Amino acid sequence: MVAVLVVLAIVAGVGWFVKNRQSTASAEGTTGAAKPVIAVSARTTDSDYYVQWLNGVKKEAARIGATLKIYDANGDDSQQILDIESATALKPAAILVDHGLEGIEPNVKKALDAGIPVVGFDSVISDSRAISVSQSDEKLSKLATDRLVKDTDGKATVIYAYVAGFAPLDARNKVWESVKKANPGIKQVAQVGVVNDSTAQQTAEQVKASLQAHPDTTVVFAPYDEFAKGATQAVEELGLTGKVKVYGVDISDADIAVLGKTDSPWVLTATTDPSNVGAVAIRTAFRAGEGKQTTKDVLVPPALVTAEEIRKNKISSVSQLVKYFPSLVTDDISPVAEAK
């Protein structure tokens, strides 16, 4: 595999990035006084949510005075394993891992053994030395399912979207399993879902097939926004708007456009602000690099957002959303002062 090195000289400083067919590594920051380097290993940046999360990381890193070295595995789990190995070789102040799966654990251990703090955001990391940042995934799922049970009086025929092996989805699934056990009137008739570079479209196809196979379906529970967008598309294409409701988790600007449509099948989502979560994650990594992060499990609290509220307030972006839901901004979690 041939790596192509491109050097860009800019007025504010020098940035560089190395690209190959599978992974992208980039360095972001400005020249001047030495700043702590934080390596960011992203499993993917192929959806609106991940883009906004990474933008939050970048913006907050600039505010607190950190230089980022970003690796994007483009959805390739094997590449992310290699990216963490490369990041460890740099000896950064800390490594932030985004949505890493189980296979990353040996290289995470090597980084920790080398004395490099590792912060995992929604990642599968069992080493007790690592720090976890998450969106309180159980609370996200509980907010959505509590409302689902209330709206349906505990009686619904449900298509469920889920793929095992992803830490946030697994946590949300535990809540769903408990909901079904506590509410025998909630009947799951099918499970769908795929996680790849066309999640929404392929989920839409699966949901359409399941809706046709189970015409008595009244709800699709889709605890990931790409699932919810796909489910909404399927309901609309089959002309089932008004009959089948979609309950989701997560939000982005693109999601708000779907939720905000008149009579959208997607009726609500339990969510955090992805940009804010990215900011919390990088602050936590920064503090870990300075030896100041004492909390091992950092939880970002969610809020419940309905399509009705989005339409009523004419909300068209997450930046507007936080004005109506100020609890989505959590500057008090892992606080770091602005760099001088």
Side-chain angles (χ1 to χ4, degrees):
M1 186 175 295
V2 179
V4 180
L5 179 64
V6 182
V7 180
L8 299 175
I10 58 175
V11 175
V14 177
W16 64 273
F17 59 91
V18 178
K19 285 189 176 182
N20 61 31
R21 183 171 59 86
Q22 293 177 307
S23 175
T24 302
S26 65
E28 299 196 10
T30 57
T31 58
K35 298 180 179 181
V37 175
I38 299 175
V40 180
S41 168
R43 181 181 180 274
T44 184
T45 57
D46 69 352
S47 76
D48 198 38
Y49 180 94
Y50 291 123
V51 170
Q52 290 183 227
W53 180 87
L54 189 57
N55 285 342
V57 169
K58 293 176 181 178
K59 183 177 179 180
E60 190 70 349
R63 187 188 72 82
I64 63 180
T67 296
L68 300 179
K69 182 65 178 291
I70 300 172
Y71 297 84
D72 181 0
N74 297 313
D76 185 333
D77 298 324
S78 297
Q79 185 60 48
Q80 188 173 32
I81 293 170
L82 296 175
D83 287 345
I84 294 171
E85 183 175 31
S86 298
T88 302
L90 289 176
K91 299 181 180 178
I95 298 174
L96 171 59
V97 180
D98 173 31
H99 282 83
L101 302 188
E102 189 174 358
I104 67 171
E105 295 220 67
N107 280 354
V108 166
K109 182 179 184 301
K110 290 178 183 178
L112 291 166
D113 288 346
I116 301 170
V118 176
V119 175
F121 168 59
D122 277 355
S123 294
V124 181
I125 300 175
S126 60
D127 196 307
S128 61
R129 295 172 294 173
I131 298 165
S132 169
V133 175
S134 71
Q135 306 178 78
S136 304
D137 289 291
E138 289 86 355
K139 289 184 180 179
L140 283 164
S141 190
K142 190 173 189 308
L143 279 174
T145 54
D146 280 356
R147 185 62 177 269
L148 188 163
V149 172
K150 180 181 178 181
D151 289 350
T152 63
D153 197 25
K155 298 176 183 178
T157 303
V158 183
I159 293 172
Y160 176 47
Y162 168 59
V163 175
F166 294 84
L169 296 182
D170 290 343
R172 297 168 192 182
N173 180 63
K174 289 179 181 178
V175 174
W176 174 241
E177 292 299 328
S178 67
V179 167
K180 289 189 294 181
K181 186 176 294 186
N183 298 274
I186 302 289
K187 305 291 186 182
Q188 179 182 318
V189 294
Q191 180 178 317
V192 300
V194 61
V195 177
N196 56 27
D197 58 1
S198 56
T199 295
Q201 183 58 46
Q202 290 193 28
T203 299
E205 294 168 2
Q206 293 179 357
V207 172
K208 282 177 71 174
S210 295
L211 285 169
Q212 291 168 329
H214 303 281
D216 56 339
T217 298
T218 55
V219 167
V220 180
F221 179 42
Y224 168 38
D225 60 335
E226 293 298 303
F227 292 162
K229 282 190 288 190
T232 300
Q233 178 184 329
V235 172
E236 290 177 334
E237 289 181 355
L238 291 177
L240 296 175
T241 298
K243 179 181 183 295
V244 179
K245 294 181 178 180
V246 177
Y247 290 74
V249 171
D250 299 329
I251 206 163
S252 68
D253 289 351
D255 299 338
I256 287 175
V258 178
L259 284 155
K261 290 192 302 183
T262 302
D263 297 325
S264 174
W266 189 356
V267 294
L268 61 80
T269 191
T271 190
T272 57
D273 168 12
S275 179
N276 174 69
V277 176
V280 170
I282 197 64
R283 289 200 303 267
T284 302
F286 186 95
R287 287 166 57 93
E290 292 191 328
K292 296 179 179 179
Q293 182 62 33
T294 56
T295 302
K296 288 290 187 178
D297 292 298
V298 179
L299 298 177
V300 182
L304 188 68
V305 178
T306 67
E308 182 180 358
E309 288 169 309
I310 287 174
R311 289 191 290 267
K312 177 183 176 182
N313 295 299
K314 299 180 180 179
I315 297 169
S316 60
S317 67
V318 176
S319 60
Q320 287 182 320
L321 181 72
V322 298
K323 296 177 182 178
Y324 293 93
F325 295 86
S327 64
L328 291 174
V329 179
T330 56
D331 294 337
D332 58 323
I333 298 178
S334 299
V336 175
E338 185 171 351
K340 296 181 180 179

